[in-house]
Amino acid sequence: MHCPFCRHPDSKVVDSRTTDDGAAIRRRRQCSACGRRFSTLETTSISVIKRSGVTEPFERSKIVAGVRKACQGRPVTEDDLAKLAQEVEESVRSAGIAEIEAHEVGLAILQPLRRLDVVAYLRFASVYQAFDDLDDFESAIEILRQEQDQTVGQQALVESESHAPRRSRRVSAKPQAKVQSRTQRKKRPTDTESSPEQERLL
């Protein structure tokens, strides 16, 4: 790599650190000619194949830009969009492929976007799942309602089990009664021994 200061082609690595949750390596280099240092960022490249057949490098910024349009007017922050883009990139890279179609990238966005905001999800899904009419929207909304009902039902079941009273184990009183009766028998004066009251009367 050429030095950005003197354009010398040779440099040495003096420090390396991972960044972006291990998806990239940041290297600190020193030019062997002028001695000045500069940083480089190395990542594995993923190409996105568009419908026209043109390929372009995968970029998080393009995911954020596309999802931001669907989230207009919704309570979604820039941090939320950045986290979503990171989750999508991790999902794409975990597939272990060097090229992916743009349509597949759009489908990878749907699941995390559904968890983030259902209205933005419906807007985004209407494009990437090619909704034709209101029936497609109604079907998607019905699926969301069913999933929410299942989630609420599972949460209610867990809460009812956690608040259910536990049965206490009852300890039988019979053994204690036997022990008490034995001690009482031991404390009773025998016929040959005199009690303190009897001694006072004597």
Side-chain angles (χ1 to χ4, degrees):
M1 179 173 290
H2 291 277
C3 173
F5 305 103
C6 66
R7 303 301 299 171
H8 189 74
D10 189 19
S11 63
K12 64 178 181 179
V13 178
V14 295
D15 187 25
S16 297
R17 296 182 181 181
T18 58
T19 184
D20 291 340
D21 294 331
I25 298 178
R26 187 180 299 275
R27 300 189 188 278
R28 190 67 175 165
R29 295 176 177 271
Q30 184 176 16
C31 178
S32 57
C34 66
R36 302 181 69 175
R37 296 186 176 187
F38 56 96
S39 298
T40 59
L41 187 65
E42 300 179 10
T43 60
T44 55
S45 61
I46 298 178
S47 299
V48 179
I49 305 174
K50 305 184 73 173
R51 294 181 180 179
S52 61
V54 178
T55 60
E56 58 183 22
F58 178 91
E59 296 180 4
R60 288 190 190 181
S61 58
K62 293 183 179 180
I63 295 178
V64 172
V67 176
R68 185 184 289 114
K69 296 178 181 178
C71 294
Q72 289 181 354
R74 302 300 301 166
V76 178
T77 64
E78 289 296 323
D79 289 340
D80 295 332
L81 295 178
K83 292 178 181 178
L84 184 144
Q86 179 179 349
E87 184 176 352
V88 172
E89 182 176 359
E90 291 175 354
S91 175
V92 171
R93 290 186 181 278
S94 64
I97 54 178
E99 294 183 344
I100 186 172
E101 294 183 1
H103 180 71
E104 295 296 328
V105 177
L107 294 179
I109 296 173
L110 292 178
Q111 190 64 27
L113 183 57
R114 179 189 297 184
R115 295 193 300 266
L116 180 62
D117 189 272
V118 292
V119 175
Y121 162 77
L122 288 173
R123 293 174 179 173
F124 197 88
S126 65
V127 176
Y128 279 90
Q129 291 184 340
F131 287 4
D132 293 328
D133 49 27
L134 292 177
D135 292 337
D136 293 334
F137 279 95
E138 291 178 355
S139 299
I141 293 172
E142 184 62 26
I143 293 174
L144 290 175
R145 286 175 178 172
Q146 292 177 0
E147 292 179 352
Q148 290 179 352
D149 292 341
Q150 291 178 356
T151 302
V152 172
Q154 292 175 355
Q155 291 178 352
L157 180 60
V158 172
E159 291 179 358
S160 62
E161 291 179 352
S162 61
H163 290 84
R166 296 181 179 179
R167 295 181 178 179
S168 59
R169 295 181 179 178
R170 295 183 179 179
V171 180
S172 176
K174 292 182 179 180
Q176 295 180 356
K178 292 182 179 179
V179 174
Q180 291 178 358
S181 62
R182 290 177 182 176
T183 54
Q184 289 175 359
R185 290 178 182 176
K186 290 181 180 180
K187 292 181 179 180
R188 287 180 181 176
T190 60
D191 296 338
T192 57
E193 295 178 355
S194 60
S195 64
E197 289 79 4
Q198 292 174 346
E199 291 178 353
R200 290 177 184 177
L201 293 176
L202 293 176

